[in-house]
Amino acid sequence: MKKYSQVYEEIKNMIVTKQLVCGDKAPSVRKASELFGVSTTTIQNAYFDLCADGYLIAHPKSGYFVSDIDEINTREETVLEKSNIKYDLTGGIADADSFDFTVWQRYIKSALRQKERLLSYSEPQGEYDLRCAISGYIREKRNVIASPDRIVIGAGVQPLIQALCIMLDKKSVVSFPDKSFVQGIGIFNDYGFEVHTRDKDADIIYVSPSHMTRWGDVMPIKRRLELIDYSVKHNSLVIEDDYENEFLYNVKPTPSLFALGKGNIVYIGSFSAMLLPGIRISFMVLTEELEKKFKEIAPRYAQTAGKTEQIALCQYIRDGHINSQTRKIRRLYSAKTKEFAKLLKEEMPDALVEIGENTLQIVLRCRFNKDLSVFEEMGISVFVEKYKDNELVLVISPSGILQNEIKDAVSALKKAIES
């Protein structure tokens, strides 16, 4: 008897080879069961996966129909044509080799089989079992001890900040360490807060201790204790964005502010860097006071993270994949950064090339006297830290460059700067 995976492949092949074209109705589950000589359950599982992968579309009470694969392919090609960027050195994309899509697809498919659970909206605070998994994860990794009731899930950090803005006093002064976090600053401004940078008298202090600047500076323990002491004395709320704490190098792990604090700290974390930018699941741990306020506004707060991805991530964490994924990324990106920096030093001996002390970023200082548009013209996207008096400072993150394209990317960057 054929397995459902074999049925899946046979039907998929019929669609790809145009034996079944867009709009054709697939055989009913019962009819397909007779044709393939398998149970109706096997056919249902195959159809379910074909729908999940975009080959079929289910119409209630009508059956399954072939989707427009050509339209999907054309749309993808159009998106690629619109961008002439071949080498993204901003760290904005991930390396396809950094993530096991097969494993993640298995958990997504498992989540999609929980049909009854997917018939309802996600809880405003996020799925309870995922909050339990996150509670255990941050306790083990960051010594952040918080019950699932104090955890709120969102599709990225921005929706979480928006939820905070609803609960906080709009007359408060908010302080950011610098102007680099444009989205966060913009949200507080939009909600009517007064936003400053490096304001000692702020009511709300937003910090990223594990990645304070684009250079990857880490907040020392002494400064962390001073900040906590200040916040207690002045009754200030600290929002700790623990951005990239998993990817610190050359330093011993530093305790989170939340673990050191005394109840006036909101802790924010995200899984996008460890998984993929397209998997937008972040979380925040509220203070006891804010937890009570969130319960009051919960009916007005729609959960932004997909329920299917929440269910999948919960089991992914429970099965230990998040830990092995973190180790895999650290090895892969560390090796690529070192190779990129090595080749850059060889190709541009007159330039100053340094790897950030605690991160996977490369700082390139060199002479430059052209228009910055040359980088885009050469198919390169890169962050310009400084360009003044013919001195150029670039911050390079080669994480999204494929291993076999590193040499070409270095050559293209050299050509853009020197030609």
Side-chain angles (χ1 to χ4, degrees):
M1 181 177 287
K2 294 182 180 180
K3 298 179 180 179
Y4 92 92
S5 59
Q6 293 175 303
V7 175
Y8 169 96
E9 289 298 334
E10 287 194 30
I11 297 176
K12 173 185 171 182
N13 183 62
M14 282 189 258
I15 296 172
V16 172
T17 58
K18 305 297 184 182
Q19 297 175 58
L20 291 173
V21 298
C22 176
D24 283 353
K25 184 177 181 179
S28 67
V29 171
R30 187 173 298 279
K31 182 65 175 176
S33 172
E34 296 173 359
L35 290 172
F36 287 98
V38 297
S39 68
T40 55
T41 300
T42 299
I43 296 297
Q44 285 175 332
N45 287 336
Y47 277 7
F48 189 76
D49 283 357
L50 286 163
C51 286
D53 292 340
Y55 293 100
L56 292 180
I57 299 175
H59 290 292
K61 299 182 180 180
S62 298
Y64 294 89
F65 295 82
V66 177
S67 63
D68 192 346
I69 297 300
D70 288 338
E71 181 182 342
I72 295 173
N73 292 337
T74 301
R75 193 183 309 126
E76 291 176 349
E77 289 171 3
T78 302
V79 170
L80 290 173
E81 288 173 0
K82 286 182 179 179
S83 173
N84 66 339
I85 299 301
K86 186 175 182 180
Y87 305 113
D88 189 327
L89 302 177
T90 65
I93 61 173
D95 183 343
D97 293 335
S98 71
F99 187 68
D100 192 331
F101 286 89
T102 302
V103 171
W104 181 248
Q105 286 172 348
R106 188 166 72 237
Y107 284 100
I108 288 291
K109 289 179 179 180
S110 175
L112 288 170
R113 293 191 181 96
Q114 300 185 37
K115 299 178 183 179
E116 293 298 321
R117 188 172 176 183
L118 295 176
L119 294 175
S120 61
Y121 292 106
S122 179
E123 300 173 43
Q125 200 165 335
E127 293 302 288
Y128 183 74
D129 56 354
L130 175 57
R131 286 187 277 128
C132 288
I134 290 174
S135 176
Y137 173 77
I138 58 179
R139 180 176 62 250
E140 176 188 351
K141 295 298 180 182
R142 300 296 286 146
N143 196 30
V144 172
I145 300 174
S147 72
D149 292 334
R150 289 176 64 181
I151 296 174
V152 178
I153 293 167
V157 172
Q158 288 174 269
L160 298 177
I161 296 177
Q162 290 174 326
L164 274 177
C165 287
I166 296 173
M167 296 184 281
L168 300 174
D169 184 358
K170 304 301 185 295
K171 297 179 182 178
S172 302
V173 174
V174 183
S175 174
F176 282 79
D178 54 43
K179 297 180 180 180
S180 62
F181 189 16
V182 177
Q183 296 92 339
I185 292 173
I187 292 172
F188 277 104
N189 276 324
D190 290 343
Y191 275 87
F193 289 86
E194 183 179 344
V195 181
H196 297 173
T197 53
R198 295 185 179 276
D199 192 329
K200 295 182 179 180
D201 298 320
D203 306 299
I204 302 169
I205 304 170
Y206 196 105
V207 291
S208 299
S210 297
H211 197 105
M212 293 177 62
T213 67
R214 183 165 286 276
W215 309 100
D217 295 328
V218 177
M219 184 181 290
I221 188 68
K222 180 181 178 182
R223 170 61 180 140
R224 296 183 187 225
L225 294 172
E226 289 174 350
L227 178 56
I228 291 170
D229 184 59
Y230 172 89
S231 66
V232 172
K233 290 180 179 178
H234 295 81
N235 196 31
S236 298
L237 176 71
V238 175
I239 302 175
E240 178 184 14
D241 185 344
D242 210 11
Y243 176 66
E244 290 201 342
N245 76 80
E246 303 90 352
F247 305 112
L248 295 181
Y249 294 77
N250 306 321
V251 292
K252 293 182 179 179
T254 308
S256 68
L257 293 172
F258 190 97
L260 296 170
K262 301 175 182 178
N264 61 330
I265 297 171
V266 171
Y267 179 88
I268 295 179
S270 179
F271 293 100
S272 297
M274 288 178 283
L275 303 176
L276 290 173
I279 302 176
R280 303 294 293 168
I281 298 183
S282 300
F283 63 92
M284 65 178 172
V285 180
L286 300 173
T287 64
E288 291 183 5
E289 180 183 355
L290 288 175
E291 177 197 346
K292 295 175 183 176
K293 287 187 178 181
F294 187 85
K295 301 290 189 207
E296 296 173 2
I297 71 163
R300 294 186 284 140
Y301 181 78
Q303 177 52 240
T304 53
K307 195 171 188 178
T308 302
E309 288 187 334
Q310 289 186 63
I311 296 171
L313 179 59
C314 173
Q315 198 58 47
Y316 189 89
I317 294 173
R318 286 176 173 174
D319 289 349
H321 290 292
I322 200 73
N323 295 325
S324 57
Q325 172 65 13
T326 302
R327 291 192 296 270
K328 178 180 180 179
I329 289 180
R330 286 172 62 92
R331 288 195 301 269
L332 175 64
Y333 288 173
S334 177
K336 289 205 293 185
T337 299
K338 290 177 181 177
E339 183 179 353
F340 197 101
K342 176 178 175 290
L343 291 174
L344 203 55
K345 289 178 180 178
E346 294 174 357
E347 292 290 326
M348 302 180 64
D350 294 332
L352 179 61
V353 180
E354 298 176 301
I355 297 179
E357 183 179 358
N358 304 313
T359 66
L360 295 179
Q361 293 173 316
I362 300 167
V363 179
L364 170 66
R365 292 181 174 87
C366 61
R367 303 298 295 172
F368 185 77
N369 58 4
K370 291 182 286 186
D371 193 284
L372 292 172
S373 61
V374 67
F375 293 107
E376 186 173 351
E377 292 170 2
M378 293 293 295
I380 301 170
S381 177
V382 67
F383 182 82
V384 179
E385 176 69 24
K386 176 185 175 183
Y387 182 31
K388 185 178 181 182
D389 299 330
N390 293 336
E391 181 187 19
L392 178 69
V393 181
L394 301 179
V395 179
I396 301 168
S397 300
S399 57
I401 305 298
L402 297 177
Q403 195 81 37
N404 60 0
E405 293 184 346
I406 291 178
K407 187 174 182 179
D408 291 339
V410 170
S411 297
L413 182 60
K414 176 188 177 182
K415 186 176 180 181
I417 293 173
E418 296 183 350
S419 64

